[in-house]
Amino acid sequence: MWNFSVVTGWIDALLHRWMGATWALVAEFVIVGLALLAVYAVLALALIYIERKVCAFFQCRIGPNRVGKWGVLQSVADMIKILLKELIRIDRSDRFLFRLASFMVIVGSICTFAALPFDKALHAIDFNIGIFYILAVSSLGVVGILMAGWASNSKYTMIGAMRSGAQLISYEISAGLSLLVIVILSGTMQLSEIVEQQADMWFIFKGNIPAIIAFFTYIIAGHAETNRGPFDLPEAESELTAGYHTEYSGIQFGFFYLAEYMNMFIIAAVAAVMFLGGWTPLHIPGWEGFNHAMDWIPGIVWFFGKTFACVFIALWVRWSFPRLRIDQLLGLEWKILMPICLVNVVLTSILAILI
Amino acid sequence: MKKYITDIALGLWRLFQGMYITMLNFVRPKFTEQYPENRGEKEYFDRFRALLVMPHDERNHHKCTACGICQTNCPNGTIEVVSRMEADEATGRDKKTLDRYMYDLGSCTFCGLCTHSCPFGAIRWSNEFEHSLFTRSKLHMQLNRPGSSLAPKPAPAPVPAAPAAEPAKKE
């Protein structure tokens, strides 16, 4: 199966021929950083377009269809607009934290994005604690959200940030416990290793019932972590205008917006990597011809196909269900999701010992 | 404990029901009209009242006798029938003739009393709904065309020499 190590190896050799080992490493850092930022921005724009289109279809509308063919350039036009907007200075706000908050949110999101395995050898950094790193860094966003809410000096942002803090910290427990099931099953935290182990069969199929339960709980907790779907209390527009980013304008608001959409992508990508086999093709044991045909589809197509399927589930859920109240939200986590996850982890451990 | 589990199962089942309903909406064909693109393709229903018009036939004849019933019936003074006295060619006597039929679209409420009360079917509603203009004075329009005249009365039965009256209806 062809993979990206050919391309990355070629670039590495080329840089080493031109400059010394240290400078080649620095140049590679810069190239990887730029590539990740570019993919991040393009994916965010694509996601915004997809969201608007899918949302429109769920509401029996057509959605953006004026800018470009089928409105595909709509989000590009929106980006240009948001870049040209004024950055409003809020009276009596904490100016340093106000500025810092939007960067915190997007840095947390980009750091998580950088650790995703897009394809075999197309992986910026392959930690041996990859999934732990993703869980840890993705919670940086909470700090940014709390900062934004505090620094804006407004009751809406304050309430939104407090809700967001309560929500994100609670639901991270369920998300972590759900991913723990896969860590138990695979025996490693390294993302590339987890994906390699799913080459014969994805974990959602070979992990028996615990993996299926974990997939559902992870999807639910993931939606809550992205502040979207039925869990969008931190920015409940009917109660809090826009929640924690009410006072932001221009590209600072754009950072929150991008981070929100990319967090949705990251949650979907992690679900795809952990449960649906990342870039490994769909293999059914015994069907040799079928498996061989599936191998012809490149891994990056598999990765993005699975991720966007998960993104579609997120959008589907978002446009189906009404928003929860804050007590219902916390009740769902502490009374239902977390007990299920704990029981599920115990069940998985027993299964892992038995098999 | 049993209630706890059945509640979760029931809740999940209800959520899936909701998602099924929204998925039906997702795949349902969309009816949104692509307005400027489908201009002229869309058929509007006959009773759609968008603009008052006075049909003219190909010889520039209308059917308005300037009786003024529409003006009297109009609740907000939208219609103004300006008439003049003109000698009738057949009888030689003075006869009321339409000079200008003034219609102010800006104050029209499209109630339809004028077309309903017109004894000759001289005015009717058309489907031309694109009324946006830059000046309000353009909303004040004259419905009879310049140089138009009353359609001659259909002649008595033996001589069917009145093709003018029939096509006027169709226009």
Side-chain angles (χ1 to χ4, degrees), chain A residues 53-62 65-66 216 220 312-313 316-317 319-321 335-337 339-340, chain B residues 4 8 12 14-16 18-37:
Chain A
K53 219 47 181 171
V54 170
C55 151
F57 270 70
F58 273 122
Q59 297 170 349
C60 280
R61 296 184 287 120
I62 288 180
N65 63 346
R66 294 288 154 187
F216 276 104
I220 294 170
F312 181 77
I313 293 177
W316 186 3
V317 166
W319 296 108
S320 296
F321 301 137
K335 290 182 188 162
I336 297 178
L337 272 189
I340 289 178
Chain B
Y4 176 79
I8 290 174
L12 270 178
R14 295 278 151 77
L15 288 182
F16 282 127
M19 284 172 80
Y20 171 70
I21 298 282
T22 46
M23 185 40 90
L24 287 185
N25 277 320
F26 183 77
V27 295
R28 181 177 295 165
K30 306 295 177 283
F31 302 107
T32 314
E33 294 293 339
Q34 298 298 310
Y35 163 56
E37 282 83 9

Side-chain angles (χ1 to χ4, degrees), chain B residues 64-81:
Chain B
C64 181
T65 59
C67 61
I69 290 175
C70 49
Q71 185 180 358
T72 326
N73 270 302
C74 182
N76 40 8
T78 297
I79 296 169
E80 189 192 357
V81 181

Side-chain angles (χ1 to χ4, degrees), chain A residues 10 20 33 39 46 51 58 71 99 163 185 187 193 220 283-284 286 307 309 317:
Chain A
W10 179 74
V39 173
E51 151 99 41
F58 273 122
R99 285 282 151 84
R163 283 183 181 184
L185 285 176
E193 180 63 30
I220 294 170
H283 278 182
I284 298 170
T307 307
V317 166

Side-chain angles (χ1 to χ4, degrees), chain A residues 10 15 69 133 135 222 258 344 347:
Chain A
W10 179 74
L15 286 172
K69 183 86 174 154
Y133 168 82
L135 279 177
L258 280 191
N344 198 22
L347 198 67

Side-chain angles (χ1 to χ4, degrees), chain B residues 9 13 22 28 40 43 50 65 69 86 94 100 119 124 139 151 170-171:
Chain B
W13 170 240
T22 46
R28 181 177 295 165
E43 293 266 326
T65 59
I69 290 175
E86 204 172 66
D94 269 1
R100 279 175 293 130
R124 64 174 186 87
L139 290 175
K170 279 181 198 160
E171 192 189 353

Side-chain angles (χ1 to χ4, degrees), chain A residues 6-324:
Chain A
V6 184
V7 181
T8 49
W10 179 74
I11 293 173
D12 185 55
L14 196 71
L15 286 172
H16 274 283
R17 214 187 317 148
W18 283 350
M19 50 190 97
T22 319
W23 284 110
L25 195 64
V26 171
E28 276 166 16
F29 283 167
V30 172
I31 289 171
V32 168
L34 284 179
L36 279 174
L37 282 178
V39 173
Y40 186 89
V42 169
L43 273 178
L45 291 182
L47 276 172
I48 291 169
Y49 172 73
I50 290 170
E51 151 99 41
R52 293 184 61 176
K53 219 47 181 171
V54 170
C55 151
F57 270 70
F58 273 122
Q59 297 170 349
C60 280
R61 296 184 287 120
I62 288 180
N65 63 346
R66 294 288 154 187
V67 192
K69 183 86 174 154
W70 303 305
V72 280
L73 298 177
Q74 180 67 52
S75 45
V76 178
D78 283 348
M79 183 195 68
I80 293 168
K81 180 202 74 174
I82 223 165
L83 285 172
L84 295 174
K85 274 188 161 182
E86 183 192 358
L87 295 177
I88 297 167
R89 309 179 86 190
I90 306 301
D91 191 28
R92 272 172 289 164
S93 64
D94 189 330
R95 205 147 286 157
F96 174 68
L97 286 185
F98 188 74
R99 285 282 151 84
L100 188 63
S102 55
F103 289 107
M104 284 294 281
V105 170
I106 202 152
V107 162
S109 163
I110 288 178
C111 285
T112 324
F113 180 72
L116 293 176
F118 294 99
D119 195 355
K120 197 178 173 70
L122 194 69
H123 194 170
I125 184 156
D126 193 12
F127 284 125
N128 56 358
I129 51 159
I131 193 62
F132 181 65
Y133 168 82
I134 282 180
L135 279 177
V137 176
S138 65
S139 19
L140 262 184
V142 191
V143 182
I145 287 171
L146 284 172
M147 261 186 201
W150 174 254
S152 302
N153 189 22
S154 151
K155 56 182 179 290
Y156 296 129
T157 59
M158 193 63 215
I159 296 171
M162 283 301 134
R163 283 183 181 184
S164 182
Q167 175 181 330
L168 294 194
I169 291 167
S170 317
Y171 276 86
E172 240 153 47
I173 298 171
S174 289
L177 286 174
S178 313
L179 294 181
L180 199 59
V181 168
I182 298 302
V183 173
I184 293 169
L185 285 176
S186 63
T188 175
M189 286 198 195
Q190 196 172 358
L191 286 173
S192 60
E193 180 63 30
I194 290 174
V195 174
E196 289 286 359
Q197 286 191 10
Q198 303 180 63
D200 54 339
M201 214 176 171
W202 303 346
F203 270 133
I204 193 164
F205 298 133
K206 77 172 171 186
N208 298 327
I209 297 164
I212 296 169
I213 295 174
F215 180 70
F216 276 104
T217 49
Y218 181 72
I219 288 283
I220 294 170
H223 288 181
E225 271 199 76
T226 48
N227 289 336
R228 293 172 53 79
F231 310 104
D232 57 350
L233 309 134
E235 42 194 291
E237 62 270 18
S238 47
E239 305 155 29
L240 302 175
T241 50
Y244 54 87
H245 55 61
T246 305
E247 307 291 347
Y248 283 85
S249 65
I251 192 61
Q252 286 185 321
F253 166 72
F255 279 173
F256 281 107
Y257 200 50
L258 280 191
E260 181 193 330
Y261 279 91
M262 286 315 287
N263 282 337
M264 180 175 74
F265 178 85
I266 288 161
I267 292 294
V270 171
V273 166
M274 300 298 277
F275 297 97
L276 305 179
W279 37 260
T280 53
L282 176 64
H283 278 182
I284 298 170
W287 294 21
E288 287 311 319
F290 179 79
N291 293 350
H292 201 67
M294 286 294 143
D295 281 340
W296 282 98
I297 302 174
I300 195 140
V301 174
W302 279 108
F303 176 79
F304 279 105
K306 288 166 189 175
T307 307
F308 279 111
C310 290
V311 166
F312 181 77
I313 293 177
L315 297 177
W316 186 3
V317 166
R318 176 174 186 182
W319 296 108
S320 296
F321 301 137
R323 181 182 303 134
L324 272 70

Side-chain angles (χ1 to χ4, degrees), chain B residues 95-139:
Chain B
K95 194 183 170 192
K96 206 177 187 185
T97 318
L98 183 67
D99 189 19
R100 279 175 293 130
Y101 191 100
M102 301 306 293
Y103 168 63
D104 185 8
L105 180 58
S107 69
C108 182
T109 60
F110 310 99
C111 62
L113 287 177
C114 48
T115 51
H116 191 68
S117 63
C118 183
F120 304 103
I123 46 177
R124 64 174 186 87
W125 294 104
S126 87
N127 289 341
E128 294 297 317
F129 60 92
E130 290 161 346
H131 298 321
S132 14
L133 292 166
F134 285 103
T135 50
R136 207 165 72 182
S137 60
K138 284 185 183 166
L139 290 175

